[in-house]
Amino acid sequence: MTAVPYLAVAALTASVGLVSALAASVFVALPERARRALVPHLVSFATGALLGAALLGLIPAAIEGAGTGQVRGVGLAVVCGLLFFFLLEKLVRWRHCHDEEPCAGHPTNLHGGHGHAGEAAVGPMLLVGEAFHNAVDGVIVAAAYLTRPELGIATALAVFAHELPQEIGNIAILIHAGVHRWRALVLNLLSSLMAVFGGMLACALSARTLSVLPFALAVAGASLLYVAVADLIPGLHRHTDLRRSVEQVVLILLGLAVIWLTQHAEGPLPG
């Protein structure tokens, strides 16, 4: 294989991460009062976006790519992904509790009233999950480009469209978990650039990549699903007043709607 596909895929995948980070930096640059007011709303929006990306995008695409004969295999990959991230969170909590203070009974909650271990767990969980997800995005873009260059460009645009709301939401989650805003931006950028690694890996492995892609998509979907269900939704339940609850439902639905709409721009997995 010549260097041209490598350079083109690297440019496409890097541009998605850089442009997403640039848009997210606008949020980071806002005054603290404005960021504090926006964070709860963005967390609700991110919950919908994560659920949508997992349940409307990645997992259905995994089933489509694997075929109906491998549905159980995709389901097993989702279960393995959920268990992996459950164990990862356990390890993060265990290490933090032993380094800092006993924290048994402190629930994870991004909206107040939680223990330090819960806060410490959310950041690594989200970054690891998003890094893996972005690497899979890079594989998808590369696979599409190797099929047809114009398909690769269209896929990169679709990935950007559905990543942008998640990137902003991720930074909001990291800031709310205690990460400094500019550090959150840098960490999010590094996570986004894992797409370049995924793209280069796909170019190197070429056709062999496509056979494992559906199962990688399933694990990536499981990671986002776990963050949304285990870490974000319990925090949303801390607010029980009617107005806040209605706002949360509307923003979750908005996050789902954005992902749903961008999924229509994505074609089937190349194969």
Side-chain angles (χ1 to χ4, degrees):
M1 182 183 294
T2 65
V4 175
Y6 284 93
L7 294 175
V9 169
L12 282 175
T13 51
S15 63
V16 170
L18 291 172
V19 175
S20 297
L22 179 63
S25 67
V26 174
F27 168 78
V28 175
L30 292 174
E32 183 177 358
R33 178 177 296 182
R35 284 188 287 109
R36 286 183 177 273
L38 284 174
V39 161
H41 303 298
L42 288 176
V43 170
S44 296
F45 180 85
T47 300
L50 289 171
L51 289 173
L55 298 174
L56 302 178
L58 291 172
I59 295 175
I63 295 172
E64 179 185 351
T68 55
Q70 292 291 333
V71 171
R72 289 183 183 273
V74 171
L76 180 61
V78 171
V79 171
C80 289
L82 291 172
L83 287 174
F84 171 76
F85 283 94
F86 171 77
L87 292 173
L88 177 63
E89 184 172 19
K90 279 288 187 183
L91 288 173
V92 172
R93 285 171 173 265
W94 178 84
R95 182 178 183 278
H96 187 82
C97 287
H98 282 72
D99 288 347
E100 298 286 338
E101 60 186 37
C103 53
H106 286 184
T108 301
N109 173 17
L110 290 176
H111 300 273
H114 51 66
H116 296 296
E119 292 180 344
V122 172
M125 283 284 302
L126 187 67
L127 289 171
V128 170
E130 276 299 300
F132 186 78
H133 178 201
N134 290 325
V136 173
D137 279 344
V139 172
I140 294 172
V141 171
Y145 184 89
L146 293 174
T147 303
R148 293 198 314 273
E150 61 272 21
L151 180 60
I153 295 171
T155 302
L157 292 174
V159 167
F160 167 74
H162 109 108
E163 278 295 310
L164 181 58
Q166 285 181 214
E167 297 297 327
I168 296 174
N170 290 344
I171 290 180
I173 293 166
L174 290 171
I175 292 173
H176 209 71
V179 180
H180 188 273
R181 57 177 176 164
W182 293 113
R183 177 177 171 82
L185 180 63
V186 171
L187 290 174
N188 202 60
L189 174 60
L190 293 175
S191 173
S192 297
L193 292 179
M194 281 297 291
V196 180
F197 170 79
M200 296 299 95
L201 182 63
C203 288
L205 297 178
S206 190
R208 286 178 293 176
T209 305
L210 297 180
S211 64
V212 299
L213 178 57
F215 305 101
L217 288 171
V219 175
S223 71
L224 302 186
L225 185 62
Y226 185 89
V227 171
V229 173
D231 291 314
L232 302 189
I233 290 178
L236 297 180
H237 284 314
R238 295 285 299 181
H239 301 282
T240 57
D241 59 284
L242 180 61
R243 178 180 176 182
R244 181 65 67 85
S245 298
V246 170
E247 288 177 352
Q248 289 174 349
V249 170
V250 170
L251 288 168
I252 289 172
L253 290 174
L254 182 60
L256 285 166
V258 169
I259 298 301
W260 171 266
L261 291 173
T262 58
Q263 293 307 315
H264 286 288
E266 299 181 24
L269 293 176

